Amino acid sequence: MPTGRHEEMAQAKKILIYLFIVFALYTIITSPDRAGDLVRMAFQGISTAANGLGDFMTQIVN
């Protein structure tokens, strides 16, 4: 059974997730162009990180 601290952390996580969702919806509704830019930047960051990880693994294998 979770302790009180664990329950508080779980509740805080839920609140943060809800706040993020509300913020994302607000951004999409009020500024769809900016929201698209943010999504594009996020995917570029993920792509860059994946490429870096791939390069790192290649260097380890070689």
Side-chain angles (χ1 to χ4, degrees):
M1 189 152 148
T3 63
R5 177 137 172 90
H6 183 4
E7 289 174 2
E8 290 173 3
M9 293 299 288
Q11 190 69 11
K13 184 178 176 182
K14 282 182 187 178
I15 291 170
L16 288 174
I17 290 171
Y18 289 137
L19 287 174
F20 176 77
I21 291 170
V22 168
F23 172 75
L25 290 173
Y26 173 78
T27 302
I28 291 168
I29 291 168
T30 60
S31 181
D33 292 336
R34 179 71 178 139
D37 291 340
L38 292 173
V39 170
R40 192 173 305 110
M41 286 179 1
F43 279 115
Q44 284 175 343
I46 291 168
S47 175
T48 300
N51 285 333
L53 182 60
D55 291 344
F56 175 71
M57 293 297 182
T58 300
Q59 291 298 322
I60 289 177
V61 171
N62 292 334

